Amino acid sequence: MAEDIRRLNELSDAAVSDYLRRSSITYLEAVISLMLTSMSAEEAAQILEAEANDLRELG
Protein backbone atom coordinates (compact mmCIF):
# COMPACT_ATOMS: atom_id res chain seq x y z
CA MET A 1 0.00 0.00 0.00
CA ALA A 2 2.74 2.49 0.96
CA GLU A 3 4.55 1.69 -2.28
CA ASP A 4 1.40 2.46 -4.28
CA ILE A 5 1.02 5.82 -2.53
CA ARG A 6 4.68 6.65 -3.12
CA ARG A 7 4.33 5.80 -6.82
CA LEU A 8 1.15 7.85 -7.08
CA ASN A 9 2.92 10.82 -5.48
CA GLU A 10 5.79 10.48 -7.94
CA LEU A 11 3.38 10.42 -10.88
CA SER A 12 1.53 13.43 -9.50
CA ASP A 13 4.76 15.40 -9.00
CA ALA A 14 5.88 14.58 -12.54
CA ALA A 15 2.52 15.68 -13.98
CA VAL A 16 2.69 18.98 -12.09
CA SER A 17 6.24 19.59 -13.31
CA ASP A 18 5.26 18.85 -16.91
CA TYR A 19 2.24 21.16 -16.67
CA LEU A 20 4.28 24.02 -15.22
CA ARG A 21 6.94 23.62 -17.90
CA ARG A 22 4.39 23.64 -20.73
CA SER A 23 2.53 26.58 -19.20
CA SER A 24 5.73 28.57 -18.83
CA ILE A 25 6.67 27.99 -22.46
CA THR A 26 3.18 28.99 -23.60
CA TYR A 27 3.40 32.16 -21.50
CA LEU A 28 6.79 32.99 -22.98
CA GLU A 29 5.43 32.53 -26.50
CA ALA A 30 2.55 34.89 -25.70
CA VAL A 31 4.93 37.50 -24.31
CA ILE A 32 7.09 37.28 -27.43
CA SER A 33 4.01 37.78 -29.60
CA LEU A 34 3.05 40.81 -27.52
CA MET A 35 6.57 42.23 -27.88
CA LEU A 36 6.31 41.89 -31.66
CA THR A 37 3.20 44.08 -31.70
CA SER A 38 5.21 47.07 -30.48
CA MET A 39 8.77 46.54 -31.75
CA SER A 40 10.73 44.93 -34.52
CA ALA A 41 11.75 41.30 -34.39
CA GLU A 42 15.37 42.42 -34.10
CA GLU A 43 14.61 44.62 -31.09
CA ALA A 44 12.69 41.80 -29.43
CA ALA A 45 15.55 39.37 -30.13
CA GLN A 46 18.09 41.76 -28.59
CA ILE A 47 16.00 42.12 -25.43
CA LEU A 48 15.46 38.38 -25.18
CA GLU A 49 19.17 37.71 -25.72
CA ALA A 50 20.06 40.16 -22.94
CA GLU A 51 17.55 38.48 -20.64
CA ALA A 52 18.92 35.04 -21.54
CA ASN A 53 22.44 36.21 -20.74
CA ASP A 54 21.28 37.55 -17.37
CA LEU A 55 19.59 34.24 -16.65
CA ARG A 56 22.72 32.28 -17.51
CA GLU A 57 24.77 34.50 -15.19
CA LEU A 58 22.38 33.76 -12.34
CA GLY A 59 23.06 30.10 -12.99
Side-chain angles (χ1 to χ4, degrees), residues 31-32 34-51:
V31 170
I32 292 169
L34 179 61
M35 291 174 76
L36 294 175
T37 66
S38 62
M39 63 186 75
S40 70
E42 184 57 34
E43 288 174 307
Q46 288 174 353
I47 292 168
L48 292 168
E49 287 169 353
E51 293 297 326

Side-chain angles (χ1 to χ4, degrees), residues 5 7 21 41 48:
I5 292 173
R7 181 67 181 132
R21 184 177 190 282
L48 292 168

Side-chain angles (χ1 to χ4, degrees), residues 48-59:
L48 292 168
E49 287 169 353
E51 293 297 326
N53 288 334
D54 290 347
L55 184 59
R56 286 184 192 100
E57 287 178 14
L58 291 174

